[in-house]
Amino acid sequence: MTDHLSRDYFDQKRSAAYERRAVRLLGGLYRRVADDVAAVAPPGASVLDVGTGPGRLLHEIASRRPDLVLGGVDLSADMVALAAAGAGGWASRIVVADVADLPHPDDSVDVAVSTLSMHEWPDPGRAVGELARVLRPGGVLLVYDFRFSRVGRESFAGLVDVRRTPVRPKRRPPALFTRVSATAP
Ligand SMILES: C[S@@+](CC[C@H](N)C(=O)[O-])C[C@H]1O[C@@H](n2cnc3c(N)ncnc32)[C@H](O)[C@@H]1O
């Protein structure tokens, strides 16, 4: 049986179904997250969307900040194909990879962002350690997930200024989502 933590779970059919649902239900979250990224990213910054899925968040970020160098990773090749198909100049920087084993060099990312993916990471502490490796000193990590999927602060060891805040996109129930923000030392 294929479980949702497997790289085979989001096959072509499930990825396409997810994209349809995301377009219908998650626009408010993507807009809110894109506003947050646009507010913290320095000019020309490198931004990595982790577990990008169909890549809808990247469109929202690009529409606000065309100066940013966008990229994405996802475990699912079918999600990456969907995200790349609809992408602009950043299509070639959307690649298949596990958050716990990124192909990016050390200190190469200014802002790492992730939406609704962390609850699927089998070892969040290891994944955050890998994100800390690729973030430049002073780089920012923004992780948004369902409120119920509480990942402990210990998973963010190695980063500083770790803060958890409720997130309420417009026209959504109160505090359905949580954001954890942190900074690379
Ligand atoms: C629920 S979808 C969210 C997609 C997108 N971020 C969004 O908000 O619409 C979760 C995504 O995380 C990806 N994912 C799960 N585990 C991952 C891992 N270890 N490394 C990279 N991506 C992963 C899945 O393949 C899936 O595309």
Side-chain angles (χ1 to χ4, degrees):
M1 191 173 140
T2 306
D3 73 39
H4 75 289
L5 298 181
S6 150
R7 73 178 61 231
D8 299 324
Y9 179 79
F10 280 109
D11 59 11
Q12 199 172 19
K13 198 170 159 199
R14 287 197 185 100
S15 297
Y18 180 83
E19 184 177 39
R20 285 194 296 275
R21 278 201 307 278
V23 166
R24 199 156 37 91
L25 300 172
L26 295 175
L29 176 66
Y30 300 145
R31 287 190 289 277
R32 159 66 202 266
V33 176
D35 287 344
D36 290 355
V37 171
V40 300
S46 145
V47 175
L48 180 66
D49 181 18
V50 181
T52 191
R56 293 283 157 167
L57 172 62
L58 290 170
H59 289 265
E60 289 294 336
I61 298 171
S63 72
R64 286 159 179 73
R65 292 287 305 275
D67 61 301
L68 299 177
V69 180
L70 302 179
V73 295
D74 200 285
L75 204 52
S76 156
D78 290 296
M79 284 294 203
V80 166
L82 276 181
W90 64 93
S92 63
R93 290 190 297 272
I94 302 175
V95 296
V96 177
D98 188 329
V99 59
D101 185 17
L102 294 170
H104 303 72
D106 296 359
D107 302 346
S108 60
V109 172
D110 295 292
V111 180
V113 62
S114 183
T115 53
L116 311 187
S117 183
M118 190 182 230
H119 64 272
E120 298 182 11
W121 304 348
D123 185 344
R126 183 170 162 211
V128 173
E130 180 65 348
L131 290 167
R133 177 186 71 74
V134 303
L135 279 170
R136 289 189 221 288
V140 174
L141 175 63
L142 300 173
V143 178
Y144 302 75
D145 211 337
F146 297 107
R147 193 174 168 205
F148 62 73
S149 68
R150 286 190 70 84
V151 174
R153 287 181 89 84
E154 66 281 1
S155 296
F156 294 83
L159 297 176
V160 297
D161 298 332
V162 179
R163 279 176 213 166
R164 185 188 297 275
T165 43
V167 172
R168 184 183 179 189
K170 287 187 187 121
R171 293 189 291 280
R172 288 274 149 215
L176 180 59
F177 306 109
T178 301
R179 175 178 95 164
V180 178
S181 62
T183 304

